[in-house]
């Protein structure tokens, strides 16, 4: 055993002794099983000897055997049952010291020891019980790469110099012209929507509606309700999502 392991074992033993001492003092105050007839000093000595000594027997059994048993109830039952005979002998010796003329181990003593041992080991096992390991959280997100410049080059040539290098957010069709949304403002183009889609075919984006195309990197959130959806885009823009184009966005992880 390494130095670190020995130090850890000593620390656990010190904590166990403190826990058992507290339990012994509590039982000294409660004075169960007829021990109230003893004087206060005798009562506390009796329970401290019984709980600390018997508890250490239980600690040894639990460390050697209990850790190999799965399930709290099963571990408690096995440890309590295995330690009881040894603790009965220990308590019998204590009662002999406290004035009994003969070394006796009546059935009632076995039952009392089994009950108290179970209570003590319940506290001990729960005190050292490791918190449950939370289920691993798998976070998934769609990583959208910015479009390659050449993928949008033909379409950008149609824009004014002010918006030609701006961030493209969406293209919205209105009758015979297009409303092009960028982070440098909106620009109107006289162009068919089908031609715009052809020029943006290599860019990273989605047609979300019969009159909308949105850049993938501009999508911030999406929602779908009652057979229709919408995308929240950069620049506080909202684009509709039709039932026809929803599968493409769903496959990309947005719906």
């Amino acid at each position: 055993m390494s130095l670190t392991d020995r130090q850890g074992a000593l620390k656990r033993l010190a904590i166990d002794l403190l826990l058992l001492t507290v339990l012994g003092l509590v039982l000294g105050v409660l004075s169960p099983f007829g021990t109230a007839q003893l004087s206060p000093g005798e009562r506390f000595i009796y329970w401290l000897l019984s709980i600390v000594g018997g508890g250490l027997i239980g600690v040894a059994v639990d460390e050697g055997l209990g850790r190999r048993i799965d399930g709290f109830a099963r571990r408690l039952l096995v440890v309590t049952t295995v330690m009881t005979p040894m603790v009965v002998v220990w308590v019998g010796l204590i009662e002999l010291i406290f004035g009994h003329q003969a070394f006796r181990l009546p059935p009632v003593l076995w039952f009392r020891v089994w009950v108290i041992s179970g209570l003590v080991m319940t506290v001990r096992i729960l005190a050292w019980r490791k918190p449950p390991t939370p289920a691993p959280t798998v976070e998934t997100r769609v990583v959208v790469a910015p479009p390659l410049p050449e993928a949008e080059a033909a379409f950008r040539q149609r824009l004014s110099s002010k918006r030609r290098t701006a961030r493209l957010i969406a293209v919205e069709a209105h009758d015979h012209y297009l409303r092009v949304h960028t982070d440098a403002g909106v620009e109107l183009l006289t162009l068919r929507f089908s031609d715009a889609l052809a020029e943006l075919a290599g860019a990273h984006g989605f047609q979300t509606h019969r009159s909308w195309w949105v850049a993938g990197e501009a999508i911030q959130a999406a929602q779908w309700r009652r057979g229709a959806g919408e995308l929240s885009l950069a620049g506080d823009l909202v684009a509709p999502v039709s039932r026809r184009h929803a599968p493409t966005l769903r496959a990309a992880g947005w719906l």
Side-chain angles (χ1 to χ4, degrees):
M1 182 183 292
S2 66
L3 178 61
T4 302
D5 292 338
R6 286 198 297 271
Q7 290 175 341
L10 290 175
K11 182 178 179 180
R12 286 176 62 88
L13 178 60
I15 296 174
D16 280 329
L17 284 172
L18 178 60
L19 178 64
L20 294 171
T21 300
V22 171
L23 291 175
L25 292 174
V26 170
L27 288 172
V29 172
L30 297 177
S31 305
F33 303 126
T35 55
Q37 63 186 357
L38 300 174
S39 68
E42 291 177 332
R43 190 163 63 238
F44 280 104
I45 293 174
Y46 175 88
W47 281 112
L48 284 172
L49 288 174
S50 298
I51 299 303
V52 175
L56 288 177
I57 294 173
V59 168
V61 173
D62 190 40
E63 291 292 323
L65 178 64
R67 290 182 175 275
R68 306 175 186 176
I69 302 173
D70 294 329
F72 172 78
R74 183 181 177 190
R75 175 180 177 180
L76 177 63
L77 179 61
V78 171
V79 170
T80 302
T81 303
V82 171
M83 67 182 283
T84 293
M86 293 177 282
V87 179
V88 165
V89 173
W90 171 251
V91 174
L93 292 173
I94 294 173
E95 294 200 350
L96 182 63
I97 294 173
F98 272 76
H100 290 159
Q101 298 301 317
F103 181 72
R104 298 181 302 128
L105 304 177
V108 66
L109 178 62
W110 285 75
F111 176 73
R112 282 162 40 185
V113 168
W114 187 82
V115 171
I116 295 296
S117 295
L119 293 175
V120 171
M121 296 314 297
T122 296
V123 175
R124 198 262 174 177
I125 293 173
L126 290 177
W128 288 112
R129 194 175 190 180
K130 294 182 179 180
T133 303
T137 301
V138 179
E139 181 178 348
T140 60
R141 63 177 64 184
V142 177
V143 179
V144 179
L148 297 175
E150 59 269 19
E152 299 175 357
F155 183 78
R156 285 182 175 276
Q157 289 301 317
R158 299 179 180 277
L159 301 176
S160 62
S161 58
K162 176 182 178 181
R163 300 182 180 90
R164 192 168 296 159
T165 58
R167 179 188 182 189
L168 185 61
I169 297 175
V171 178
E172 179 185 2
H174 280 276
D175 296 327
H176 300 295
Y177 66 91
L178 302 179
R179 186 186 296 269
V180 183
H181 299 270
T182 72
D183 61 0
V186 178
E187 184 165 331
L188 299 180
L189 292 180
T190 303
L191 183 69
R192 293 185 305 177
F193 188 55
S194 58
D195 293 335
L197 291 178
E199 293 182 359
L200 292 170
H204 187 84
F206 307 95
Q207 183 180 358
T208 65
H209 189 268
R210 65 182 180 181
S211 59
W212 277 84
W213 178 94
V214 302
E217 65 168 353
I219 302 175
Q220 296 179 335
Q223 58 181 348
W224 181 266
R225 63 167 73 107
R226 297 181 181 178
E230 61 182 26
L231 299 177
S232 298
L233 307 178
D236 296 325
L237 191 64
V238 177
V241 180
S242 67
R243 187 186 300 271
R244 175 185 175 187
H245 297 286
T248 302
L249 289 163
R250 191 172 292 114
W254 285 111
L255 294 176

